[in-house]
Amino acid sequence: MKTALLFLLIAFSTISLSAAYASPDPVLDATGKILRSGIDYHVLPVFKGKGGGLTLANTGKEPCPLDVVQEKYEFKDGLPLTFTPVNPKKGVIRVSTDLNIKFSVARKCPQSTTYCKVTCRDVDIFIKNGMLHLALSDVPFKVMFKKA
């Protein structure tokens, strides 16, 4: 009896420890494949009729800096982005992990096109001067990833 109880205690401890260290789920693209570090993807809205992909645009009077905005028309995929985990492991992009996000384009402005996670919040689209801007929000902008 004591041996069986000891065995169950060890088994539950092992299961609890392995569950505590399990990796978060991988992020999947629109075809169900795992997102990989360093691969170009377009970020598109999940719902049809909600605009196109993400891009960079001048939204002020000066040519720089560029803001992250959404293409107005859904047939425009926007610019490709790459994702790189801050703590890379096997090149898989995982849910709720710190990432560097970089637009894969030649730069017109001297600013960086790499965006590091600073604040853990959702992002959504808001309209300013007819442009669809990406900004922090309490309501998530639901997106899908399409390999470029």
Side-chain angles (χ1 to χ4, degrees):
M1 178 75 168
K2 286 183 183 179
T3 305
L5 187 57
L6 181 61
F7 174 75
L8 285 174
L9 182 60
I10 291 171
F12 284 126
S13 297
T14 305
I15 290 170
S16 296
L17 285 174
S18 64
Y21 294 109
S23 294
D25 291 337
V27 176
L28 304 178
D29 70 12
T31 65
K33 294 184 180 169
I34 294 173
L35 254 66
R36 298 278 178 189
S37 177
I39 304 294
D40 285 341
Y41 294 93
H42 292 286
V43 178
L44 304 165
V46 168
F47 302 110
K48 296 289 181 193
K50 296 287 185 180
L54 299 182
T55 191
L56 295 170
N58 170 346
T59 60
K61 294 179 182 179
E62 300 296 322
C64 295
L66 299 174
D67 292 336
V68 178
V69 298
Q70 182 189 18
E71 293 282 5
K72 198 175 233 180
Y73 303 105
E74 69 180 72
F75 61 85
K76 292 191 172 188
D77 286 342
L79 296 173
L81 294 104
T82 58
F83 302 91
T84 308
V86 171
N87 297 314
K89 247 187 189 175
K90 299 183 182 175
V92 174
I93 306 304
R94 298 194 176 276
V95 173
S96 299
T97 57
D98 294 342
L99 297 172
N100 288 321
I101 303 169
K102 180 180 180 183
F103 280 94
S104 304
V105 295
R107 298 185 303 187
K108 297 177 189 175
C109 295
Q111 78 191 64
S112 174
T113 57
T114 301
Y115 298 87
C116 303
K117 180 195 157 289
V118 175
T119 305
C120 186
R121 284 200 51 202
D122 289 328
V123 294
D124 198 2
I125 299 295
F126 77 95
I127 301 170
K128 180 180 176 186
N129 299 329
M131 300 282 297
L132 306 168
H133 292 258
L134 196 65
L136 296 176
S137 172
D138 293 327
V139 179
F141 174 52
K142 295 185 181 186
V143 298
M144 63 181 169
F145 304 95
K146 177 178 144 186
K147 199 169 182 179

